[in-house]
């Protein structure tokens, strides 16, 4: 069964039409949102190949990227220009887009027919053009992928330039005649999930004129933090991703470029020039576009530090921002809160691309999923009243198990890295000694504590060998029903019925399978985690040899989140060595002795943290979701 939403009228209706206004004053801006008054079936579908001014595949010719365009015919016939919604992706012919893995399709003449996702179906009838760009080296574009580097970013930036009359487009992949985007008003909004949203971040960080807004969904802000974590390696590298997305684009030899990727992404986890080129958070001061972020707080693929550091850097740059945070893993909000997402996105684009005075910029800054399908608005993110709070571990009667409070502490604790540990194994028996981790908890809370923002931990550890890894996590102990983010759907189930979002044309369906929350009951929830190589204690740019028996102090980040630990639950800190589900370990696992007086965790809290020890945690084994991360960057 299909349910239709927002169907386009079959003919053009003048009443209620919103004419794009880019520079109108507040008094002049229209207050009525864009309506579906344009004929989608009769929309213009075409391709422009934009010269990006690079020769990434070394064939002696400038690379051209394919920009597939669908736009309503009526505005151009009336001499009016329209804004653009753009999704630049490497996946249009390799992995597909969306929950149903849609691909681009073309007719026998090579003209675009099928546009993945609902953006064209919904927004073209409302007066927008939708442009889907193949990154260099993918689908119908020439060149090579460089996984977030200059080629990827320029692939999309040059299309923004072309839409503003600053770059050259052609009617063919090679040769052809010059084509201009005379129908474009120059205003561009970029959107996309994962790699696509990452490119939106990268283009915004160039400060390119004409980019009015971006909507990065589960996106990377620094490629270092996708492949590495404070010196530790997640065990996979960018050249593998490049080869995956280039597989269906014949004609280019990208072996030289891929070799550069392999060489640049050094295995030792040091942060160097390769990663700096791909660090958009460090370039956030250049961003002029507004930013609407969406991310799952349980995303173990594009880990949440990516939205956290991006969000903070954008705030320092004075960028207008909005954020949605779900309990899901790597999932698009269209697939966990469909109607509300489409409505909010519609208002966002209407405001920032058409100048509609709909008040979206004055609505609550943050919307957070507290329990499956239960949402709460916040006036700010991190939450209002948040305070950086230092919690310290205290030794208890049981070895390796103690309390966590704001009070000063002393003593030591030890564990051995067996190179095969995992967060669920470390957390499952919180009151028992483990040879492979230490655990400190607040005891039962009398009032709730909200963790909102990015935590960090400072550890002083003495290794028994010349190399060592550290893993740390914050755990909410207490029964809860959560989205099953480690299952195949990462917190959603896909049904068989469909709802339709916009207009359908031959070869371009607007209908998508309904999804629902996939939930599970747990005894504890890991709410934040982080990893580090102790050899990077001095600097992320260069590791230093460790001397066995000598103490080293290192501070590293834990994942960004927004989570309420309810009253009667317990907040705990767990410290271990190699978490084998996430990072690669050293050649030999060391014994690590923790100096408790010089170890602490800094947590952004709303509420009052315990100043003294609390009650012990239960002795029974507890369960959580499986924690092996999903590694499909779609």
């Amino acid at each position: 069964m299909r349910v239709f939403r927002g169907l386009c009228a079959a003919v053009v209706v003048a009443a209620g039409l919103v004419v794009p206004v880019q520079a109108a004053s507040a008094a002049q801006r229209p207050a009525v949102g864009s309506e579906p008054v344009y004929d989608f079936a009769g929309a213009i579908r075409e391709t422009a190949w934009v010269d990006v001014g690079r020769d990434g595949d070394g064939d002696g010719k400038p690379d051209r990227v394919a920009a597939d365009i669908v736009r309503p015919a009526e505005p151009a016939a009336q001499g009016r220009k329209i804004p653009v919604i753009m999704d630049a992706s490497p996946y249009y012919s390799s992995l597909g887009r969306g929950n149903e893995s849609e691909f681009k399709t073309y007719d026998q003449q090579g003209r675009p027919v099928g546009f993945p996702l609902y953006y064209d179906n919904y927004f073209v009838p409302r007066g927008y053009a939708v442009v889907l760009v193949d990154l260099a080296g993918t689908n119908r574009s020439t060149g090579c992928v460089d996984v977030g580097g200059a080629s990827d970013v320029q692939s999309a930036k040059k299309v923004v330039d072309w839409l503003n009359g600053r770059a050259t487009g052609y009617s063919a992949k090679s040769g052809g005649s010059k084509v201009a985007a005379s129908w474009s008003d120059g205003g561009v909004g970029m959107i996309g999930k994962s790699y696509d949203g990452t490119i939106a971040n990268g283009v915004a960080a160039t400060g390119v004129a004409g980019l009015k807004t971006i909507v990065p969904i589960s996106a990377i802000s620094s490629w270092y933090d996708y492949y590495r974590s404070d010196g530790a390696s997640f065990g996979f590298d960018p050249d593998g991703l490049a080869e995956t997305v280039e597989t269906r684009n014949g004609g280019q030899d990208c072996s030289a470029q891929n070799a550069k990727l392999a060489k640049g992404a050094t295995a030792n986890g040091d942060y160097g020039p390769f990663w700096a080129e791909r660090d958009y958070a460090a370039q956030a001061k250049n961003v002029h576009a507004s930013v609407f972020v969406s991310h799952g707080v349980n995303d173990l693929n594009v880990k949440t530090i990516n939205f956290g550091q991006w969000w903070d850097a954008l705030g320092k740059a004075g960028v207008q921002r909005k954020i949605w945070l779900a309990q899901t893993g790597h999932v698009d909000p269209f697939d966990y809160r469909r109607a509300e997402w489409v409505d909010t996105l519609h208002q966002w684009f209407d405001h920032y691309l058409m100048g509609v005075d709909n008040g979206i910029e004055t609505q609550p800054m943050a919307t957070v999923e507290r329990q499956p399908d239960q949402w709460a608005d916040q006036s700010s993110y991190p939450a209002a009243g948040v305070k950086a709070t230092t919690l310290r571990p205290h030794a208890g009667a049981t070895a390796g198990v103690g309390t966590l409070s704001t009070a000063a502490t002393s003593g030591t604790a030890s564990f051995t890295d067996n190179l095969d540990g995992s967060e669920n194994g470390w957390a499952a028996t919180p009151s028992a000694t483990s040879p492979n981790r230490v655990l400190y908890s607040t005891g039962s809370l009398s009032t709730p504590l909200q963790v909102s923002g990015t935590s960090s931990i400072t550890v002083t550890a003495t290794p028994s060998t010349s190399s060592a890894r550290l893993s740390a996590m914050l755990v909410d102990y207490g029964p809860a029903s959560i989205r099953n983010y480690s299952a195949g759907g990462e917190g959603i189930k896909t049904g068989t019925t469909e709802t339709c979002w916009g207009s359908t044309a031959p070869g371009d369906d607007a209908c998508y399978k309904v999804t629902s929350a996939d939930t599970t009951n747990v005894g504890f929830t890991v709410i934040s985690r982080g990893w580090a190589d102790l050899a990077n204690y001095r600097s992320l740019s260069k590791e230093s040899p460790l001397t066995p028996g000598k103490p080293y102090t290192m501070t590293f980040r834990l994942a960004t989140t927004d989570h309420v630990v309810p009253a009667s639950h317990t907040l705990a800190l767990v410290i271990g060595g190699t978490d084998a589900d996430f990072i690669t370990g050293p050649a030999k696992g060391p014994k690590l002795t923790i100096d408790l007086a010089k170890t602490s965790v800094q947590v952004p809290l709303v509420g009052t943290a315990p100043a003294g020890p609390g009650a012990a945690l239960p002795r029974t084994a507890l369960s959580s979701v499986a924690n092996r991360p999903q590694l499909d960057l779609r």
Side-chain angles (χ1 to χ4, degrees), residues 332-352:
D332 192 306
F334 183 74
D335 296 314
Y336 61 71
R337 203 183 183 211
R338 188 164 295 179
E340 293 83 356
W341 173 253
V342 174
D343 181 61
T344 305
L345 189 63
H346 182 190
Q347 293 180 61
W348 187 265
F349 281 141
D350 273 4
H351 179 71
Y352 287 103

Side-chain angles (χ1 to χ4, degrees), residues 65-394:
V65 295
D68 291 322
I69 303 158
V70 55
R71 56 187 175 90
E74 297 88 350
Q78 298 163 3
R80 291 189 292 102
K81 298 184 178 184
I82 58 175
V84 170
I85 296 169
M86 184 170 116
D87 186 340
S89 177
Y91 293 135
Y92 288 127
S93 65
S94 56
L95 299 178
R97 305 310 302 127
N99 188 44
E100 298 173 38
S101 297
E102 293 186 305
F103 299 92
K104 285 184 177 180
T105 62
Y106 305 88
D107 64 16
Q108 292 182 344
Q109 289 73 43
R111 292 173 297 202
V113 174
F115 285 69
L117 306 175
Y118 63 95
Y119 304 140
D120 60 320
N121 309 91
Y122 188 86
F123 286 104
V124 169
R126 289 170 165 79
Y128 293 86
V130 170
V131 178
L132 304 187
V133 180
D134 300 328
L135 293 187
T138 70
N139 198 21
R140 300 200 296 172
S141 294
T142 63
C144 293
V145 166
D146 66 355
V147 189
S151 178
D152 280 8
V153 173
Q154 287 297 314
S155 293
K157 177 184 178 294
K158 280 295 185 179
V159 177
V160 176
D161 286 334
W162 176 71
L163 292 165
N164 282 272
R166 299 188 300 265
T168 305
Y170 294 89
S171 61
K173 187 173 183 177
S174 62
S177 57
K178 292 182 179 180
V179 294
S182 56
W183 46 267
S184 167
D185 71 5
V188 180
M190 291 186 68
I191 188 171
K193 179 194 168 194
S194 200
Y195 203 138
D196 305 18
T198 301
I199 298 304
N201 286 345
V203 175
T206 70
V208 61
L211 184 62
K212 303 297 184 183
T213 191
I214 63 170
V215 184
I217 301 166
S218 303
I220 296 166
S221 62
S222 169
W223 284 87
Y224 178 87
D225 293 297
Y226 183 70
Y227 289 103
R228 308 288 187 263
S229 175
D230 290 284
S233 172
F234 293 131
F236 52 100
D237 295 297
D239 55 311
L241 178 56
E243 292 169 2
T244 297
V245 300
E246 291 162 349
T247 53
R248 296 191 184 181
N249 187 14
Q252 285 105 257
D253 179 3
C254 291
S255 57
Q257 173 61 49
N258 293 344
K260 290 180 181 179
L261 294 176
K263 182 179 180 180
T266 56
N268 64 1
D270 288 353
Y271 180 97
F274 178 88
W275 300 116
E277 179 184 334
R278 293 160 174 79
D279 188 345
Y280 314 133
Q283 305 160 29
K285 62 182 182 298
N286 300 323
V287 176
H288 304 299
S290 61
V291 181
F292 184 5
V293 171
S294 172
H295 217 105
V297 296
N298 293 306
D299 192 337
L300 302 181
N301 185 344
V302 177
K303 297 170 183 64
T304 60
I305 194 67
N306 278 281
F307 89 75
Q309 63 191 1
W310 182 236
W311 181 264
D312 292 344
L314 293 172
K316 292 177 182 177
V319 172
Q320 285 191 308
R321 302 167 296 162
K322 186 175 180 65
I323 191 167
W324 273 28
L325 297 176
Q327 273 197 359
T328 60
H330 199 60
V331 181
D332 192 306
F334 183 74
D335 296 314
Y336 61 71
R337 203 183 183 211
R338 188 164 295 179
E340 293 83 356
W341 173 253
V342 174
D343 181 61
T344 305
L345 189 63
H346 182 190
Q347 293 180 61
W348 187 265
F349 281 141
D350 273 4
H351 179 71
Y352 287 103
L353 294 178
M354 286 190 174
V356 177
D357 191 12
N358 54 23
I360 186 70
E361 78 283 10
T362 64
Q363 292 181 11
M365 175 181 281
T367 300
V368 183
E369 187 178 27
R370 292 288 170 224
Q371 297 179 38
D373 289 327
Q374 295 184 25
W375 297 83
D377 289 332
Q378 290 182 177
S379 61
S380 65
Y381 182 78
V386 71
K387 181 180 179 181
T389 303
T390 299
L391 300 175
R392 305 180 189 280
H394 299 251

